[in-house]
Amino acid sequence: MKVEMDDIDDLTICDSVSSLIEGCRLPVHMTGTNDWPLAEIISIKDVASSKYYYVHYVDFNKRLDEWVTEESLDTRKVHFPRKDTGGCSTGVSTPKKLQIGGGSGSVACPASGGGGGGGGGGGSGIIAASGGVANLPSGGGVVSRPASPVNNVELLNGNAVLAAALQKRINRKRKGPSLESEDSQDAPQGLTPGPRQSGSMVSHHDDIVTRMKNIELIELGKHRIKPWYFAPYPQEMVNLDCIYICEFCLKYRKSRKCLERHLAKCNLRHPPGNEIYRKDNISFFEIDGRKNKVYAQNLCLLAKLFLDHKTLYYDTDPFLFYIMTVLDIRGFHIVGYFSKEKESTEDYNVACILTMPPYQRKGYGKLLIEFSYELSKFEGKTGSPEKPLSDLGLLSYRSYWAQTILEILLSMKPIGENEKPQITINEICELTSIKKEDVISTLQNLNLINYYKGQYIITLSKETIESQLKAMESRKIRIDPKCLHWTPKDWGKRAKW
């Protein structure tokens, strides 16, 4: 694999790994592949007289970050960090790096969230939303972008981010918990502002701690899962080989013995809250972030392991959580979830969204997205996931939007014998509850809109129709509106949540 560097003048042939420092960039052998992509050294540690290097592969998602030994480093081309001309106390800064991506999901992503995912994301392919949906895409060949939603050209140094975070905490109308300043990110004055920072988009800044995975393994029910990202679990849990999590109440324990003692006392066999949907073995539970605060906080901690840039930790009061479960003789097992604000000024119907890794690529991600739009239909509104989406979340939402809109178009019948079927963008929005901007962007991405004789028309090719029919056949599980028993609440009329 060919490696290209930004500035040839900064390349140095390194005679020994002992001269490598944090911030260096060099080709590194990626585990499980034959590739040597460019990577940045985030941290160095000594274990039993051997050095280990925590690396981030540039232009790859952070879920691929890992510890490697010196045998995996190619020291023939080392890009040392520049001296910081801004007088930063660290003395060095990360080399300049252009941000990639953009587009409707502010993918630089989906969370997705909103996302969240996770989540993110989805189904046949959701990470999400929180933004993030956290599912793997159904097709291969897509390179993930770096997940931190930084909108300026240069990566921000620690002092600038900390100053911005402190200023943001002062300016916020709704005061968050004491950890908010540690977990928020905003751009300094004079730079392009980042996306809207609501409670559902609390993001860690790019410091040495939050850039590194801190949990080795979790056990959730019958599944053992390797986390993807940093999550702010208590320090005494971080140093363990595995964290044991109750799959019903989501409380975490230090050992399997402690978990067994907990399970003997825990009488929950489903998420706390109201079951608002059940068909076959699929159920959805609605959780109020104020009434079930501990569960909501534990859910957010768990989701943060798989959603990098968008999730909330402690300020759960303004949010509702919709937990999707599968039922067996032992109880209701969590498959995924999405959160949404009780009151959204911008008509977001999803804040964070995530499908748990053991259930990805099975159709559950799209089912989560479909359920969120079914709630919007009951509310009589059009909705959209909160941006930015994670990379996988954006793929999943675009797939869902495309399939849903094409399904509508293929079901249309012509009014007369020699006439073409007719439908407006607004009618598509009413039928699907997908926001107008998302409908238009989807039609443009599919190259279905054409200008003909003074008007815009939608043209469906034979290939598009065939691929859509094939996709419709592959979706085995769908939301049945008749099984949804739910009444929307007007949170604006309530003095308190």
Side-chain angles (χ1 to χ4, degrees), residues 12-22 24 41 44 51 53 75 78 80-81:
T12 305
I13 296 178
C14 186
D15 56 351
S16 172
V17 292
S18 61
S19 59
L20 294 176
I21 60 174
E22 294 171 1
C24 286
I41 296 177
I44 303 173
K51 279 189 179 296
Y53 303 83
T75 57
V78 180
F80 281 91

Side-chain angles (χ1 to χ4, degrees), residues 351-488:
C352 297
I353 186 167
L354 170 70
T355 305
M356 298 300 295
Y359 297 96
Q360 293 173 5
R361 300 177 67 91
K362 296 180 180 179
Y364 291 118
K366 278 200 177 73
L367 202 67
L368 276 169
I369 296 176
E370 186 178 0
F371 190 78
S372 70
Y373 280 106
E374 200 60 47
L375 295 185
S376 295
K377 290 178 185 178
F378 268 62
E379 293 175 311
K381 299 177 180 178
T382 58
S384 181
E386 187 175 323
K387 311 301 190 300
L389 289 163
S390 69
D391 52 350
L392 302 182
L394 181 61
L395 287 173
S396 298
Y397 264 96
R398 280 181 173 170
S399 176
Y400 171 80
W401 290 332
Q403 290 185 20
T404 303
I405 293 170
L406 287 172
E407 199 172 24
I408 294 293
L409 297 179
L410 292 177
S411 66
M412 292 175 53
K413 305 295 181 185
I415 300 174
E417 291 184 3
N418 298 321
E419 294 184 12
K420 299 287 185 181
Q422 294 186 359
I423 191 171
T424 65
I425 298 293
N426 287 335
E427 287 172 340
I428 294 175
C429 295
E430 291 175 7
L431 290 170
T432 63
S433 282
I434 300 174
K435 209 168 183 63
K436 186 176 182 179
E437 293 78 5
D438 296 330
V439 171
I440 294 172
S441 68
T442 301
L443 293 173
Q444 290 174 337
N445 287 331
L446 294 172
N447 294 319
L448 298 183
I449 296 183
N450 295 284
Y451 192 73
Y452 179 73
K453 291 185 178 181
Q455 63 180 348
Y456 287 98
I457 62 172
I458 297 175
T459 306
L460 296 179
S461 65
K462 184 178 180 181
E463 293 77 12
T464 302
I465 294 174
E466 289 177 351
S467 63
Q468 168 60 14
L469 292 175
K470 186 177 180 180
M472 289 168 63
E473 290 176 2
S474 66
R475 289 182 65 180
K476 303 298 183 184
I477 49 176
R478 301 291 296 269
I479 294 296
D480 184 352
K482 299 174 185 174
C483 299
L484 176 59
H485 305 285
W486 179 73
T487 303

Side-chain angles (χ1 to χ4, degrees), residues 79-129:
H79 194 175
F80 281 91
R82 292 188 183 92
K83 294 294 181 183
D84 190 1
T85 56
C88 176
S89 59
T90 59
V92 294
S93 63
T94 305
K96 289 183 179 181
K97 171 176 171 293
L98 291 177
Q99 179 164 335
I100 63 173
S104 62
S106 299
V107 176
C109 56
S112 147
S124 44
I126 209 181
I127 173 122

